[in-house]
Amino acid sequence: MRAERWDQKRLDTYASYANSLKHQINIAQRIGAARGFQHAVDPLDPEQGLAQLAEAEARRATEWETMLLVGEAETIAAARRWHESVWNVELYARGLEDDPAGWERAVGQMSRARDAFYALARRDLGIVGPPPPSGNWPRVWQRQDETD
């Protein structure tokens, strides 16, 4: 009974943390789109977006404390690598970096960090099999005109 309770709490914590970080990523990528970076849609004015980004980071930081409490050590380390990779993307969203190739590398690193987090979270939760494959950039629907 105790193990089931902690498994559920861990699932809820991992999912909540991932969702809060995904929200933060979405804002950063939308600001990036407004700054002209590739593979991001629905531009968000940086002035308006930076306030939203700060709110999203505050939420993520709050969720982080629960991760530290109930997460497995390796999964916590993977979550840390993921949110640190998001911070790298945010450097571009904030206008502190402006190299398009660097943006692409940062987004790729962020995607790989996300995949690593999910693989470990699934292992912790006893979910068998590999996680779903990560999406590739550009997305297939973005390349359709190249193959027509």
Side-chain angles (χ1 to χ4, degrees):
M1 179 70 164
R2 175 180 266 170
E4 289 175 20
R5 183 181 73 208
W6 283 111
D7 284 348
Q8 184 61 50
K9 181 61 178 169
R10 190 169 286 137
L11 169 63
D12 294 344
T13 298
Y14 288 171
S16 185
Y17 187 76
N19 286 328
S20 70
L21 198 49
K22 188 66 178 178
H23 178 66
Q24 189 171 343
I25 291 166
N26 179 266
I27 295 167
Q29 288 183 316
R30 290 182 62 208
I31 297 169
R35 294 192 186 280
F37 293 115
Q38 296 294 312
H39 312 308
V41 295
D42 195 18
L44 177 61
D45 176 68
E47 193 171 313
Q48 172 185 346
L50 290 175
Q52 292 179 26
L53 196 55
E55 289 173 19
E57 169 59 19
R59 177 179 169 210
R60 186 219 51 86
T62 299
E63 297 280 344
W64 179 243
E65 297 307 313
T66 308
M67 279 288 294
L68 293 173
L69 184 63
V70 303
E72 294 289 337
E74 283 184 89
T75 306
I76 291 169
R80 179 176 280 120
R81 285 188 297 275
W82 188 18
H83 74 237
E84 288 174 351
S85 71
V86 172
W87 293 343
N88 285 333
V89 171
E90 286 185 9
L91 293 174
Y92 294 87
R94 295 178 184 283
L96 301 172
E97 297 285 345
D98 62 4
D99 174 43
W103 166 266
E104 294 292 326
R105 283 190 303 276
V107 169
Q109 177 188 32
M110 182 178 65
S111 181
R112 289 186 298 279
R114 175 185 173 269
D115 290 348
F117 167 78
Y118 276 107
L120 287 167
R122 289 169 60 91
R123 182 197 68 187
D124 292 351
L125 297 167
I127 300 170
V128 296
S134 184
N136 294 315
W137 295 98
R139 299 290 195 206
V140 172
W141 58 265
Q142 291 174 308
R143 296 182 297 204
Q144 284 179 346
D145 60 344
E146 296 173 9
T147 59
D148 289 345

